[in-house]
Amino acid sequence: MRHGFQFLYDWTIHCLPLTDLSGLQFSDVISEAINETINEVQGPAFYRGNLQITDVRDTFLRLDNWTKGVVFVNGFNLGRYWNKGPQKTLYVPAPLLREGENEIMVFELHQTAELAVTFVDTPDLG
């Protein structure tokens, strides 16, 4: 394997299958403790949150303080995001959502400044 013009030795690559996320185990932590240590978390990490919905409609997901990764809504791979843009929102069609509790998982490759996502009613395509 090479990085630029430099050969790398003793390198192992492992596949990270993202087709079934049901085997992931998350720890319960207090949000204040997360926010205090959020800048210490660097590198790939999964984050999970829930959204309560009473009126299911098409929407758009903003990840303003996130860097680069993939978003899953109710187990469906919604798509990739990158703070470089130009696209600032991901489309979330109504059939992916359900009344009541909805699960959002974010696989962040680098780090985030804040553990929050925002749902908006208009797209921002840059």
Side-chain angles (χ1 to χ4, degrees), residues 83-98:
N83 64 354
K84 302 270 187 222
Q87 180 176 330
K88 301 291 183 188
T89 56
L90 292 173
Y91 175 58
V92 184
L96 290 182
L97 302 171
R98 54 184 171 250

Side-chain angles (χ1 to χ4, degrees), residues 2-92:
R2 285 188 351 182
H3 178 69
F5 294 106
Q6 178 68 41
F7 283 96
L8 303 175
Y9 299 97
D10 298 322
W11 186 265
T12 304
I13 298 174
H14 297 277
C15 179
L16 181 60
L18 297 177
T19 54
D20 181 13
L21 302 178
S22 62
L24 291 176
Q25 295 182 3
F26 293 88
S27 60
D28 292 329
V29 292
I30 301 170
S31 61
E32 291 176 13
I34 290 176
N35 290 329
E36 290 175 9
T37 61
I38 191 69
N39 292 328
E40 296 175 15
V41 178
Q42 294 182 4
F46 283 92
Y47 300 90
R48 179 178 62 185
N50 293 313
L51 171 70
Q52 293 291 328
I53 298 178
T54 56
D55 185 18
V56 176
R57 296 180 183 212
D58 289 351
T59 187
F60 298 89
L61 180 65
R62 290 190 67 97
L63 294 113
D64 290 328
N65 294 307
W66 300 78
T67 306
K68 184 179 184 182
V70 182
V71 178
F72 300 86
V73 174
N74 293 327
F76 181 83
N77 185 338
L78 193 61
R80 296 183 289 175
Y81 64 90
W82 193 8
N83 64 354
K84 302 270 187 222
Q87 180 176 330
K88 301 291 183 188
T89 56
L90 292 173
Y91 175 58
V92 184

